[in-house]
C-alpha cells in the first residue's frame, strides 16, 4: 500500500511535469516558426505560468501531508503500538488549505491567462 500511495503522488507530479513539458515544447515550436512572435508569446505567458507552478507546488505539499497521515493509518493496522493521527482532521485541514490558499491562486492564474496575457501580448504589437 505504501508503494501504491507514493505511486499516486508520483503520477500527480508527472502529470503536471508533462503539462509543462508540452507547454515549453509548444513554445519551442513557436520560436522556430517565428522567433519574434514566439518570444512575445512566451513573455506574455510568464505571469500565468509562474502562478500555476507555485500553486501546484503548494497543492502537492498539502497533499503530501495528507498522504503521510494515510500511510501512518495503514501502518497502524499492522503494528502493535499505534500512533494517534486523525485522518478526518487532516482531511478537513487539507480542504481548508485548498479553499483558502490554492483555489484563489488558481482563479488568479486563470485571470492572468485570460486577460493579462492578452494585454501583455497587445503591448508588443
Amino acid at each position: 500500500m505504501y508503494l501504491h500511495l507514493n505511486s499516486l503522488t508520483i503520477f500527480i507530479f508527472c502529470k503536471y511535469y508533462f503539462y509543462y513539458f508540452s507547454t515549453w515544447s509548444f513554445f519551442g515550436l513557436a520560436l522556430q516558426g517565428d522567433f519574434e512572435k514566439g518570444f512575445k508569446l512566451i513573455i506574455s505567458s510568464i505571469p500565468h505560468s509562474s502562478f500555476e507552478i507555485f500553486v501546484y507546488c503548494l497543492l502537492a505539499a498539502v497533499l503530501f501531508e495528507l498522504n503521510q497521515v494515510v500511510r501512518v493509518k495503514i501502518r497502524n493496522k499492522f503494528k502493535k503500538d499505534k500512533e494517534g493521527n486523525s485522518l478526518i482532521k487532516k482531511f478537513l485541514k487539507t480542504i481548508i488549505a485548498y479553499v483558502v490558499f490554492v483555489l484563489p491562486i488558481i482563479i488568479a492564474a486563470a485571470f492572468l491567462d485570460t486577460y493579462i496575457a492578452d494585454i501583455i501580448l497587445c503591448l508588443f504589437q
Side-chain angles (χ1 to χ4, degrees):
M1 188 57 94
Y2 176 76
L3 179 64
H4 177 68
L5 292 174
N6 282 339
S7 299
L8 180 63
T9 305
I10 291 170
F11 170 75
I12 291 170
F13 281 128
C14 290
K15 176 183 168 190
Y16 295 116
Y17 283 132
F18 177 75
Y19 169 75
Y20 287 110
F21 175 74
S22 62
T23 301
W24 288 104
S25 297
F26 173 73
F27 288 159
L29 290 174
L31 285 173
Q32 277 186 335
D34 185 4
F35 183 78
E36 185 178 340
K37 287 182 182 179
F39 187 72
K40 291 175 186 177
L41 179 70
I42 291 171
I43 295 297
S44 67
S45 67
I46 285 176
H48 167 73
S49 298
S50 60
F51 267 68
E52 204 167 59
I53 289 171
F54 172 72
V55 77
Y56 285 138
C57 290
L58 185 64
L59 180 62
V62 170
L63 289 177
F64 180 74
E65 288 185 10
L66 181 65
N67 187 9
Q68 285 179 330
V69 173
V70 170
R71 289 186 310 191
V72 167
K73 287 295 183 186
I74 293 170
R75 196 176 321 134
N76 282 344
K77 296 289 182 186
F78 302 107
K79 289 175 70 176
K80 292 181 182 178
D81 47 332
K82 302 183 186 298
E83 298 175 22
N85 289 336
S86 174
L87 179 63
I88 295 173
K89 287 182 182 177
K90 192 59 170 176
F91 182 73
L92 290 176
K93 285 182 181 179
T94 302
I95 297 296
I96 290 170
Y98 180 79
V99 170
V100 171
F101 296 113
V102 175
L103 197 58
I105 298 174
I106 288 175
I107 292 170
F111 176 78
L112 287 172
D113 188 33
T114 304
Y115 298 108
I116 304 300
D118 290 338
I119 291 170
I120 292 172
L121 195 59
C122 288
L123 288 175
F124 286 117
Q125 304 283 333

